[in-house]
C-alpha cells in the first residue's frame, strides 16, 4: 500500500478493528503549528513537524505516572479532545498562593484553581491543611490532582486506589489523624470546592490526557470475562465503546471543530492571556482500491494538544474506510491534495515527474540498472 502525503504534516495509517469484527483502514494526519505573534491570529504550520506517537509516553514510569502523549493511532474518536500540557503562571510573575487557570475553544471553556504546596497538619483536636505556599509557576498534571494510591499501615499489601485518578495525591483512606501529619494535598482543585478531606470525593483537575486506567475511561473498554475469552478473543467485546479512545476527560471533549474557532488561555503562560484561531483548512483523504475504486472524505479534527511552554499546538485529523476483506485491497492513499499535474498523469496512466530534473534522475537510474543486469 502506498501512502502519498501532500499535507506538509505527518501522516500514517493503521488497521482499526470494530467490535463486530469488521476492519477499517485508518489514516492519521498530525500537524505541528507555531503560536502566532499577534492576538487572535490563525495558527500556521511550524518548520519542524513532530512525528506521530507510536506508543503512549509518560512523565515517569508507565502506568504509574501521568500520560504526556498517547498513541496517535486510535481508530475513531466520536468527539474532539482538547488537551494542554504545561503549567500555571502567576500574573506578571508576582507570587501567589492560589490562582484560576482557564482554557476555551469557541463556546466551550473549562477552568479550575491551582494552589500552592500544602500538607496535612495535626493540631490539638483535628487535622487540617496548612496554608498554601506561594508560587510563581506550578506544573499542571494529574500527578498533582486529587487521587493516588494508599496502603494500610497494618497490612501494606492491602492498597486502595482512587479510581478517578490513581496517580494523584491527597487520597488517604487508611490514614488516621496522626498518620496524616505531613502528607501532601493536591495542588489543583475545583474552583469553589476546595479539598477538605483525605477520602474525597473530589474531581481531579488537569488539562492533560486521562490514563487508560482511570475509571472515567476504562468503563468504555467493554467486558472481558470468561465468555469473552472463550468465544470472542481476539476481537473486541460487543459492549466496547469508541469513547474509550477519547484521551481527554469528558468535560474537555467537544464537537469536531470546523476551523476558525478562537482559542483563549488564561494564566497558562508568562504572557498571562493568549488567544489564537484554529486553522480553517480541509484535509482530504482519498482511498484507492486495487480495482481503481476511489473515495474521498475530509478527515475530522479530533485532537488539539496545546504546549505553550514549547511554543506549539499539535492538531490531529483522522479518516477511515471500511475494508471488505483486508488492508491489501487498498492500493493507494492520498492525504491532502497533490498537484494538478499529478492527477492528469494518473488519469492518463503515466508516471508523474515534478520536474525535468526528477525525470532525468529516473532515466539515469533505469540506465544504471540496465547496465548492471548486462
Amino acid at each position: 500500500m502506498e501512502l502519498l502525503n501532500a499535507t506538509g504534516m505527518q501522516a500514517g495509517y493503521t488497521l482499526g478493528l470494530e467490535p463486530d469484527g469488521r476492519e477499517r483502514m485508518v489514516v492519521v494526519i498530525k500537524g505541528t503549528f507555531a503560536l502566532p505573534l499577534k492576538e487572535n491570529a490563525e495558527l500556521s504550520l511550524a518548520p519542524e513537524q513532530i512525528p506521530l506517537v507510536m506508543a503512549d509516553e509518560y512523565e515517569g514510569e508507565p502506568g504509574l505516572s501521568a500520560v504526556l502523549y498517547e498513541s496517535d493511532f486510535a481508530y475513531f474518536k466520536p468527539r474532539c479532545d482538547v488537551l494542554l500540557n504545561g503549567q500555571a503562571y502567576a500574573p506578571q510573575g508576582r507570587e501567589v498562593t492560589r490562582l484560576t487557570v482557564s482554557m476555551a475553544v469557541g463556546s466551550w471553556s473549562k477552568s479550575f484553581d491551582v494552589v500552592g504546596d500544602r500538607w496535612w497538619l495535626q493540631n490539638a483536636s483535628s487535622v487540617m491543611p496548612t496554608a498554601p505556599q506561594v508560587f510563581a509557576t506550578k506544573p499542571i498534571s494529574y500527578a498533582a490532582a486529587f487521587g493516588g494510591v494508599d496502603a494500610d499501615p497494618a497490612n501494606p499489601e492491602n492498597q486502595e486506589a482512587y479510581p478517578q485518578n490513581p496517580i494523584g495525591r491527597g487520597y488517604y483512606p487508611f490514614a488516621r489523624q496522626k498518620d496524616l501529619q505531613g502528607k501532601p494535598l493536591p495542588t489543583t482543585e475545583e474552583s469553589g470546592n476546595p479539598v477538605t478531606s483525605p477520602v474525597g470525593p473530589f474531581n481531579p483537575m488537569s488539562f492533560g490526557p486521562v490514563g487508560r486506567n482511570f475509571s472515567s475511561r476504562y468503563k468504555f473498554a467493554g467486558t472481558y470475562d470468561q465468555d469473552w475469552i472463550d468465544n470472542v478473543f481476539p476481537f473486541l467485546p460487543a459492549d466496547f465503546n469508541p469513547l474509550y479512545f477519547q484521551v481527554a476527560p469528558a468535560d474537555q471533549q467537544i464537537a469536531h471543530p470546523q476551523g476558525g474557532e478562537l482559542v483563549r488561555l488564561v494564566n497558562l503562560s508568562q504572557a498571562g492571556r493568549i488567544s489564537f484561531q484554529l486553522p480553517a483548512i480541509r484535509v482530504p483523504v482519498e482511498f484507492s482500491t486495487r480495482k481503481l475504486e476511489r473515495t474521498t472524505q475530509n478527515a475530522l479534527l479530533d485532537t488539539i494538544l496545546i504546549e505553550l511552554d514549547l511554543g506549539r499546538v499539535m492538531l490531529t485529523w483522522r479518516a477511515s474506510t471500511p475494508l471488505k476483506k483486508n488492508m491489501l485491497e487498498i492500493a493507494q492513499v492520498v492525504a491532502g491534495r497533490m498537484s494538478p499535474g499529478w492527477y492528469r498523469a494518473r488519469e492518463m496512466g503515466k508516471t508523474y515527474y515534478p520536474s525535468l530534473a526528477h525525470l532525468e534522475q529516473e532515466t539515469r537510474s533505469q540506465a544504471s540498472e540496465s547496465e548492471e543486469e548486462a
Side-chain angles (χ1 to χ4, degrees):
M1 204 285 294
E2 180 183 33
L3 172 61
L4 299 177
N5 180 13
T7 65
M9 300 180 282
Q10 297 289 308
Y13 65 92
T14 189
L15 180 68
L17 187 65
E18 300 203 40
D20 61 7
R22 290 183 297 179
E23 296 180 341
R24 303 183 70 89
M25 169 171 276
V26 182
V27 175
V28 182
I29 303 99
K30 182 168 78 174
T32 304
F33 294 79
L35 292 172
L37 298 178
K38 295 182 178 180
E39 286 288 297
N40 302 334
E42 186 174 301
L43 293 174
S44 58
L45 276 177
E48 179 185 2
Q49 292 295 301
I50 304 301
L52 291 164
V53 177
M54 300 298 174
D56 298 356
E57 299 178 14
Y58 296 79
E59 289 182 355
E61 186 173 352
L64 300 177
S65 62
V67 179
L68 277 175
Y69 310 104
E70 192 165 288
S71 168
D72 285 316
F73 290 96
Y75 84 78
F76 175 62
K77 290 188 179 185
R79 297 175 63 77
C80 177
D81 290 326
V82 181
L83 303 163
L84 181 142
N85 287 333
Q87 54 188 333
Y89 284 81
Q92 300 177 342
R94 297 173 182 172
E95 292 184 332
V96 297
T97 58
R98 177 186 294 267
L99 61 78
T100 300
V101 294
S102 67
M103 177 168 61
V105 179
S107 61
W108 167 88
S109 65
K110 177 180 177 177
S111 63
F112 55 84
D113 287 355
V114 179
V115 191
D117 294 333
R118 299 168 296 170
W119 297 266
W120 288 106
L121 176 66
Q122 184 177 10
N123 57 28
S125 60
S126 63
V127 177
M128 59 187 301
T130 63
Q133 294 188 338
V134 297
F135 66 93
T137 62
K138 181 67 63 177
I140 296 173
S141 165
Y142 278 109
F146 186 81
V149 178
D150 193 32
D152 185 349
N155 181 13
E157 293 184 359
N158 183 19
Q159 298 185 356
E160 184 175 326
Y162 194 66
Q164 290 178 265
N165 179 21
I167 64 165
R169 67 174 70 161
Y171 180 60
Y172 308 112
F174 293 109
R176 301 177 181 87
Q177 285 192 4
K178 62 182 180 64
D179 300 321
L180 282 173
Q181 177 73 22
K183 290 185 178 294
L185 277 80
T187 55
T188 66
E189 59 187 24
E190 288 183 283
S191 300
N193 187 26
V195 175
T196 56
S197 165
V199 294
F202 299 102
N203 291 321
M205 304 307 294
S206 177
F207 289 132
V210 169
R212 297 178 188 269
N213 58 341
F214 285 36
S215 61
S216 61
R217 188 170 176 192
Y218 66 64
K219 66 181 180 181
F220 296 116
T223 304
Y224 298 84
D225 53 13
Q226 192 61 46
D227 178 69
W228 176 81
I229 294 174
D230 295 338
N231 302 307
V232 181
F233 176 84
F235 301 107
L236 292 170
D239 58 347
F240 178 88
N241 189 322
L243 285 172
Y244 172 78
F245 291 124
Q246 301 289 165
V247 182
D251 61 357
Q252 288 174 222
Q253 299 171 19
I254 65 175
H256 296 113
Q258 299 302 305
E261 291 84 356
L262 186 65
V263 178
R264 304 174 303 282
L265 307 162
V266 179
N267 291 336
L268 293 165
S269 69
Q270 290 181 336
R273 293 177 179 268
I274 287 182
S275 61
F276 55 84
Q277 291 184 37
L278 295 178
I281 59 177
R282 295 290 176 265
V283 184
V285 177
E286 180 190 78
F287 297 92
S288 298
T289 69
R290 297 193 180 280
K291 295 181 180 180
L292 300 182
E293 299 170 340
R294 300 188 179 103
T295 58
T296 301
Q297 58 180 279
N298 284 322
L300 294 175
L301 174 58
D302 65 19
T303 311
I304 301 170
L305 174 56
I306 302 168
E307 296 185 310
L308 296 181
D309 290 345
L310 298 176
R312 69 192 185 193
V313 177
M314 289 183 282
L315 306 179
T316 303
W317 288 262
R318 200 174 316 271
S320 68
T321 188
L323 300 174
K324 297 177 181 179
K325 293 183 178 180
N326 54 52
M327 193 178 289
L328 296 178
E329 66 197 58
I330 303 297
Q332 185 183 76
V333 173
V334 179
R337 291 289 300 175
M338 302 291 284
S339 69
W342 183 89
Y343 289 101
R344 286 195 300 269
R346 185 177 68 172
E347 293 302 317
M348 298 173 65
K350 296 182 178 181
T351 302
Y352 173 73
Y353 298 100
S355 66
L356 290 176
H358 287 84
L359 174 60
E360 182 179 358
Q361 182 180 0
E362 179 67 17
T363 302
R364 289 179 178 177
S365 176
Q366 292 177 356
S368 176
E369 290 177 0
S370 298
E371 291 176 359
E372 291 177 359
E373 292 176 358

